[in-house]
Amino acid sequence: MGLEADYPAARVSDPADSVPIYSGRRVIAYLGPDDHFHSAATNVTCRIHRRNGTWYKLLNPGGWDPTAATAYVSAARTFLLNTEAPNPMHDCVGNTDQPGPPWWRDIVITTSIAGIGIAAAVAARRFLRERRPGPLPPPVVPEVDGPGRMPGA
């Protein structure tokens, strides 16, 4: 797929990485890795900000999947080329699309990890509190000051 010189292009940040391209919540293709079998860059028109990050809207989503009306790539995993193009990057206006994985999935994963950490901390505290007592100290035997006398008597 060739790049249009009139539009900015998003390119994968890590040359060995493959960045998913989303049509809604569905992955339709991957951008990269940077080799002769895959495309590592694609033209983008605008950006949208959602709870799950910032996304670039692809200029030609039909080139990836004929059924996709719109397609998006993550701005966090790509960088922009040709930013001084005649059609510069701007924020998408009136766009209600929700690309990428759902934002609540990250909250569920984070909450699960935090819950496991809290449970481990409670178990460790309980284990340390409920240790078996060690052996009893030996009984105190009063010293004798001379034959049959107690000290101070």
Side-chain angles (χ1 to χ4, degrees):
M1 234 165 57
L3 295 177
E4 296 272 337
D6 292 341
Y7 291 92
R11 183 172 182 82
V12 293
S13 298
D14 181 6
D17 193 13
S18 62
V19 179
I21 296 174
Y22 285 92
S23 177
R25 304 259 185 242
R26 183 173 60 103
V27 175
I28 60 171
Y30 288 92
L31 189 62
D34 193 7
D35 60 18
H36 63 279
F37 294 112
H38 303 92
S39 178
T42 185
N43 286 110
V44 292
T45 59
C46 60
R47 75 182 143 260
I48 61 173
H49 305 281
R50 297 294 182 254
R51 289 183 182 190
N52 62 353
T54 301
W55 299 86
Y56 295 135
K57 184 176 180 180
L58 272 59
L59 173 66
N60 186 9
W64 296 96
D65 184 1
T67 61
T70 58
Y72 297 89
V73 65
S74 172
R77 297 180 63 184
T78 58
F79 66 93
L80 284 180
L81 301 169
N82 196 19
T83 55
E84 287 82 29
N87 297 314
M89 177 63 65
H90 60 279
D91 288 337
C92 298
V93 179
N95 191 324
T96 59
D97 290 344
Q98 297 291 329
W103 59 269
W104 51 264
R105 184 177 73 181
D106 296 335
I107 292 175
V108 169
I109 291 169
T110 304
T111 305
S112 300
I113 291 171
I116 291 169
I118 290 170
V122 168
R125 183 175 177 171
R126 191 170 195 179
F127 173 75
L128 293 175
R129 267 194 181 170
E130 296 180 5
R131 288 186 297 183
R132 290 186 188 165
L136 294 175
V140 178
V141 178
E143 293 184 20
V144 179
D145 194 23
R149 293 190 178 195
M150 297 295 285

